[in-house]
Every structure is written in C-alpha cells, then in structure tokens.
Amino acid sequence: YSVYIIFTSEGIYLSKQSKCDCPNGWLFCSHMLACFLLIHLIQIQLDWTFSEIVDFMPVPIKSLQSVPLAASYVFGELKISKPGTKLGKKKSDDDYTKGIAK
C-alpha cells in the first residue's frame, strides 16, 4: 500500500490530508503507524545506516503466516477432556464407558 503522511512546515500532522491506500487507510491504519514509527526511529538513531535500520526491522508478517505453529505456543498446556466432562476435568475410562453404555 502507498502511505501518505502529510505535515505542515511547522511539523503539525494533517490527519485529513494523510491517507493510506488500504481499506482502513481513510482514517488511520497500521501502515500509517508503521511509517510514524520508522520516522521516529530515524530521528532518534541518527548514526544508524540504512542497512542497520533494515536489520532492525521485524520479520515480515506474510512469512510468519506460512510457518506452522504449535497450539501449545499460543494456549500453553492444553487439557483434553472426553465428551461430557466439565471445566477441563478428565473422566476415568470406566465413567466414560458407563456413560456411553446408558
């Protein structure tokens, strides 16, 4: 997407004239926020070269979306319940089979 961040000559951000071409860009989107953060980084790290800034950037989200991720990384240790149990408590096999036999 193309991002247009407009400032006055005094450095005042003009939100009504700034925009991004993404579907949410007519208000404020993550692409605009990323541009603000990049500008801020350049302002505070005056001695960094272009390659140092590129190395500092996070991994692109599209490359992360294609990598398998274990559910335990997201949810921690999962309790697996048998049907009919409550609150993640496990039924013993005997209780489970008795319940099905009824």
Side-chain angles (χ1 to χ4, degrees):
Y1 298 109
S2 296
V3 178
Y4 305 93
I5 299 178
I6 311 297
F7 295 90
T8 65
S9 57
E10 293 82 30
I12 298 169
Y13 171 64
L14 301 175
S15 61
K16 292 186 180 188
Q17 295 175 342
S18 300
K19 69 178 186 121
C20 176
D21 291 339
C22 79
N24 294 322
W26 60 277
L27 287 172
F28 194 84
C29 65
S30 60
H31 308 110
M32 295 173 82
L33 177 61
C35 285
F36 274 112
L37 291 173
L38 179 61
I39 291 168
H40 180 68
L41 177 70
I42 292 169
Q43 289 175 337
I44 62 171
Q45 299 294 346
L46 299 174
D47 57 333
W48 281 15
T49 64
F50 179 75
S51 61
E52 289 173 320
I53 292 173
V54 170
D55 291 341
F56 182 75
M57 294 293 158
V59 176
I61 189 70
K62 296 288 183 191
S63 64
L64 290 177
Q65 290 174 337
S66 64
V67 175
L69 182 67
S72 61
Y73 291 160
V74 178
F75 300 106
E77 192 172 326
L78 298 173
K79 292 182 180 180
I80 300 174
S81 303
K82 294 182 180 175
T85 59
K86 295 181 181 176
L87 301 173
K89 295 180 182 175
K90 293 183 180 181
K91 283 187 175 180
S92 70
D93 286 334
D94 293 335
D95 291 341
Y96 180 63
T97 18
K98 287 178 189 175
I100 293 177
K102 289 182 180 181

